[in-house]
Amino acid sequence: MGLSAWLTRYAAARPRPLVVTAPHATRLRLLAEAELARRGWRGARSPAGADLLVVCGTPAAALSRAVEVVWTDVPAPRTLVELRGDPRPELVTTALDGAVARLADVRSQRLDAAGRAGARDGRHGPAQPYDEHDGEHDDGEHHAEHGRHGEQGGQEHHGGHGGQHDQHSEHGGHGRHGEQGGQEHHGGHGGQHDRHGGHGHHMGNPGGVPMAERGRDRDGLTLDRLHVPLGPVLSDWPAGLVVETVLQGDVIQQARVEVAGGLGTERFWDAPWLAALEGRRVTRGEAARRGAASRLDSVGRLLAVAGWGGAATEARRLRDRLLWERRDEGVPEEFAGFARRVRRSWLLHWMLRGLGTPGLSPGRSRPGRDGVAARLDAWLDETGRALNALDDGSPLDDDAGPRGPVGDRPSEALLSALPGLLTGTELAAARLVVAGLDPDLDQVRPAREASHA
């Protein structure tokens, strides 16, 4: 066995997955994340750091285009797993086992690399034989430069947080927050690339990149204005969410929200309450279990974006125990210790203070904590109460889902509020604002899969 073959097979045993989720595929995402955690596979923060792309659900047109562009940015060796249809744990396990085998297939990986090189040079190279969607992805190869442009731009805008986070020894991952945000936030450019000047090849512009517009900022100064989209393909990002931003310096001057939808109708987090409204018997204990898991999912996402990877992993481990393992013994006590540790983190709350509150500059918090910090505190409180109700066998007779009355689809209101919360925020903090809202796009009606001004 040659060195290249040995290295390929060694790397195949330790893949770095990037998970992309379509709206209405929350159950598949959770199953995939639980299996990835069981195997000890660390997730990638950007396409360039991945070798396994896991697509959960069936993306609609805009999200599908974004996935194609991201796929072209995943370096070799690489493989694709598409989880659709029947959300059974054994099918997820089988699909990931197949991914390991394909990553270790040296001949197929060489054919794929040759095909990509041929496409870049304008030749027709051999296709990767093991992927049934290869033709679709090869057609998108000409977007590869677009993805790289986005990553470079993101590194410039997100670098500012890293030095601050290194102060907190408990938050081992905090020092990487700014770096992660920069590398990640352009992963989904492809779904929107045809509408943004920064992605097209324009005659007369250096390197095909158009010059920035100019406009007055909030202080009356004339500065460059850059159009920077966030999403829809980012780690720890709501499924299908796209935020179109206009930047001056590193401050968001305008924001517009869109939804890159997915096929399906399931609302996983709201399911117990929807079933009760339809007249089916659901216990309060089952609803409490789903609500606690939903809040732990939101807490884990926020902590991951903040750079506290260890605490995010702990939140998700507790979530998976509630959803799939059904081992409740000791969970309330473990959660209580976890919640105390999160609440005692002065650095975390220093990062979050003033974020997500209209009219309040980041870093200037009123005496009563508000915005993202207050929502984190509320999520912890709600999780603790739900865990104490897991054994409640009385029938569920309300519609108060994890994000509010399920009939009102509260995430639609969250999306409408998001542009106002982001305007005036530094780009490095935008990910924290979004994670602090954590809208559930499964609640968004198809008619709303458009702009939210």
Side-chain angles (χ1 to χ4, degrees), residues 206-280:
V209 179
M211 300 295 289
E213 302 171 6
R214 308 201 75 184
R216 292 187 178 276
D217 72 351
R218 56 188 176 182
D219 298 320
L221 301 176
T222 300
L223 299 174
D224 290 344
R225 305 180 71 182
L226 301 176
H227 294 263
V228 179
L230 307 179
V233 180
L234 293 171
S235 61
D236 301 307
W237 182 258
L241 179 63
V242 181
V243 180
E244 309 281 357
T245 68
V246 177
L247 298 179
Q248 286 184 306
D250 62 350
V251 176
I252 296 175
Q253 301 294 337
Q254 299 174 28
R256 182 166 55 89
V257 173
E258 296 183 353
V259 178
L263 304 184
T265 59
E266 184 184 34
R267 293 165 58 181
F268 178 79
W269 294 125
D270 295 340
W273 292 270
L274 292 173
L277 290 175
E278 293 172 356
R280 286 180 277 169

Side-chain angles (χ1 to χ4, degrees), residues 5 27 35 43 68 122 131 180 196 288 310 314 329 337 354 379 407 427:
R27 184 189 300 269
E35 179 62 20
E68 290 175 13
D131 185 52
Q180 292 169 357
H196 298 287
E314 187 172 352
E329 184 178 357
W379 290 345
L427 183 59

Side-chain angles (χ1 to χ4, degrees), residues 173-227:
H174 278 194
R176 296 188 298 274
H177 163 60
E179 178 183 336
Q180 292 169 357
Q183 291 177 348
E184 295 164 19
H185 81 270
H186 289 284
H189 278 193
Q192 308 295 331
H193 79 279
D194 52 341
R195 299 203 315 274
H196 298 287
H199 294 254
H201 297 286
H202 299 280
M203 297 298 294
N205 294 316
V209 179
M211 300 295 289
E213 302 171 6
R214 308 201 75 184
R216 292 187 178 276
D217 72 351
R218 56 188 176 182
D219 298 320
L221 301 176
T222 300
L223 299 174
D224 290 344
R225 305 180 71 182
L226 301 176
H227 294 263

Side-chain angles (χ1 to χ4, degrees), residues 170-173 176 303-304 307-316 338 341:
E170 186 181 21
H171 297 45
R176 296 188 298 274
L303 295 176
W308 196 356
T313 298
E314 187 172 352
R316 289 163 174 166
F338 164 78
R341 189 154 60 100

Side-chain angles (χ1 to χ4, degrees), residues 123-147:
R123 303 188 306 268
H124 294 289
Q128 189 171 354
Y130 52 76
D131 185 52
E132 62 181 355
H133 297 278
D134 235 3
E136 179 180 339
H137 300 141
D138 287 343
D139 290 342
E141 191 68 46
H142 69 282
H143 297 301
E145 289 299 322
H146 300 171

